[in-house]
Amino acid sequence: MSRRKRILDDLDQDIRNHIEIETQDNIERGMPPEEARRAALLKFGNVSRVKEETREVWSLVWLEQLLQDIRYGLRVLRKSPAFTAVVVLTLALGIGANTAIFSLIDAVMLRSLPVQSPKDLVVMKWDARHSPDVHGYMNSGDCPTDMRIGATNPSGCSFSEPLFREIADANMFSGVVAFANSGRLNLSGNGPARVISGQVASGDFFRALGVNAALGRIFVPGDDSPSAAPLAAPLN
Amino acid sequence: MSTIQARQRIELLQGTLDLLILRTLLRGPVHGHAIAKAIEFNSDDVLQVEQGSLYPALHRLIKRQWISVEEGVSENNRRAKFYRLTAKGRRQLAVETSKWDKLAGAIARILRPAEQERKS
C-alpha cells in the first residue's frame, strides 16, 4: 500500500515535467511558445485519462497480494500435513467446545423465563459470616455450603417457612413465593403410573409469576392449606 | 503533421509498448519523456506513441518489478523520475523478444509463403 502511494504521489509532477520538456523541444524547433505548449499537450493525449489508467494499474494490488498470501499459506500447510491436522483438530475442538458451552449458557441463563415480566424476578438467599449457634433442631433454612456448628461463611442459603411468611407479609414486593424440591413423585391416573420430579410451591406461585393454566385454573392462595381440595392444572 | 504521414504511422499492438520500453531501458535509466522520444527516433518516427499511454505501461512494469524508479534531475533541471531495468526485467526482455521474433516470423510466413519458399 505504501509503495503504491509513494509511486502514485509523484505521477502529477512526472506528467507536468514530461509536457514541459516536450514544449521546450518544440520551442527549440522554432514554434512560438503558445503553439509549442498546445502541440505538446496534443501529443501527450488526455491527461486525466492517463492518470486514471495509471491509478487503475495499482487499484487491485492489495487483493492480488492477499490472494498470493493465501496461496502461499496453503502451499506451506500442504507441505506439513501432520502439523496441519493438529492445528485443524485443535481449532475444531476449541470452536466446538465453545459452541456447546455457549448453547448451554444461552438456554439456561440468557433466554428469558416464560413468565410475565422476567426482569422483575429476584431470588432471595441469605449469607452469614458464621453458622447460627444452635443446639439440636435448626430452622434457619438449608444451605448448600457447610452448616456445621461454628462453620464460617455459609452462603446461598434458603429461608425457613416462618421467615418466608415474614417477608411475604412485609409488603415489600408485589408477590412473594416459595418453592422447594420435593424429590420424586408418583404420577398416576389413566394409564400406567410414572415417576416424576416435582417442586413444592406456595399457593401464590403461578399468580405472582403471571402464568395461567391451559385448562381449568391455577393454584391460588388457600390451595396450600391442609384442608384444600386436590387440584390439577396443566400449564401448556 | 500531414495526413499522409499520419496514415503511415502504426498503432501499437497491445503489450508491444511494454516490450519497447524494456528495450529502451536496456541502455540505462531514463525519464518518461526520453523513453517516448527514443521509441519515436529509433523507429524512424513510424511508431508514434501517444505519449500519455507510456505512464500506465510504466506502472504496469513497476508493479511486475521489471523496472524500478529512482529520483534524478532532468535536462530542464527539474526533479524527475528515472526508470531502470531490473534483473528480472532483463530476463523478461529476452523472453519477450524471442516471443516477438516467433510471432513476426509466423505472420510473415503466412502473408508471404512464396518468398519464404524461394529463400529456402
Side-chain angles (χ1 to χ4, degrees), chain A residues 125-226:
Chain A
K125 292 171 177 177
W126 63 264
D127 299 355
R129 236 175 301 179
H130 293 284
S131 176
D133 200 5
V134 293
H135 301 283
Y137 181 69
M138 196 271 281
N139 79 342
S140 313
D142 294 328
C143 289
T145 54
D146 194 357
M147 269 297 283
R148 280 171 304 175
I149 310 270
T152 53
N153 291 332
S155 62
C157 307
S158 57
F159 293 94
S160 63
E161 196 197 336
L163 203 43
F164 158 65
R165 297 277 173 220
E166 283 290 315
I167 294 168
D169 292 344
N171 262 336
M172 282 187 289
F173 302 99
S174 60
V176 180
V177 300
F179 57 92
N181 200 333
S182 72
R184 290 173 162 197
L185 297 172
N186 181 21
L187 179 69
S188 61
N190 297 335
R194 279 200 296 147
V195 174
I196 57 167
S197 60
Q199 294 274 334
V200 176
S202 56
D204 209 15
F205 191 77
F206 292 117
R207 204 190 49 113
L209 293 179
V211 177
N212 255 314
L215 206 64
R217 65 172 180 88
I218 56 168
F219 303 118
V220 291
D223 281 330
D224 54 358
S225 68

Side-chain angles (χ1 to χ4, degrees), chain A residues 3 7 10-11 13-14 17-18 20-22 25 43-45 49-50 53-54 57-58 61 64, chain B residues 31 33 37 40 48 50-52 55-56 59-60 62-63 71 74-76 78-81 83:
Chain A
R3 189 171 77 122
I7 288 168
D10 291 334
L11 181 63
Q13 163 73 28
D14 223 13
N17 206 23
H18 182 126
E20 229 165 77
I21 295 173
E22 181 71 22
D25 281 3
K43 196 156 188 192
F44 190 86
R49 205 196 63 222
V50 166
E53 279 176 12
T54 308
V57 171
W58 297 98
V61 161
E64 285 163 21
Chain B
H31 57 76
H33 182 260
K37 283 285 145 194
E40 282 167 24
Q48 193 83 25
E50 190 183 49
Q51 294 182 346
Y55 287 86
H59 282 249
R60 265 199 306 277
I62 294 169
K63 197 172 105 176
E71 290 292 323
S74 62
E75 61 262 31
N76 64 346
R78 289 286 165 82
R79 199 168 59 87
K81 287 233 173 324
Y83 302 91

Side-chain angles (χ1 to χ4, degrees), chain B residues 55-101:
Chain B
Y55 287 86
L58 281 169
H59 282 249
R60 265 199 306 277
L61 297 175
I62 294 169
K63 197 172 105 176
R64 291 174 190 155
Q65 296 175 344
W66 293 350
I67 64 175
S68 61
V69 195
E70 52 197 56
E71 290 292 323
V73 178
S74 62
E75 61 262 31
N76 64 346
N77 260 337
R78 289 286 165 82
R79 199 168 59 87
K81 287 233 173 324
F82 280 68
Y83 302 91
R84 177 196 285 279
L85 200 61
T86 62
K88 207 171 161 186
R90 215 172 280 268
R91 282 196 298 275
Q92 193 60 33
L93 175 60
V95 173
E96 296 286 329
T97 306
S98 80
K99 261 198 220 163
W100 176 260
D101 287 342

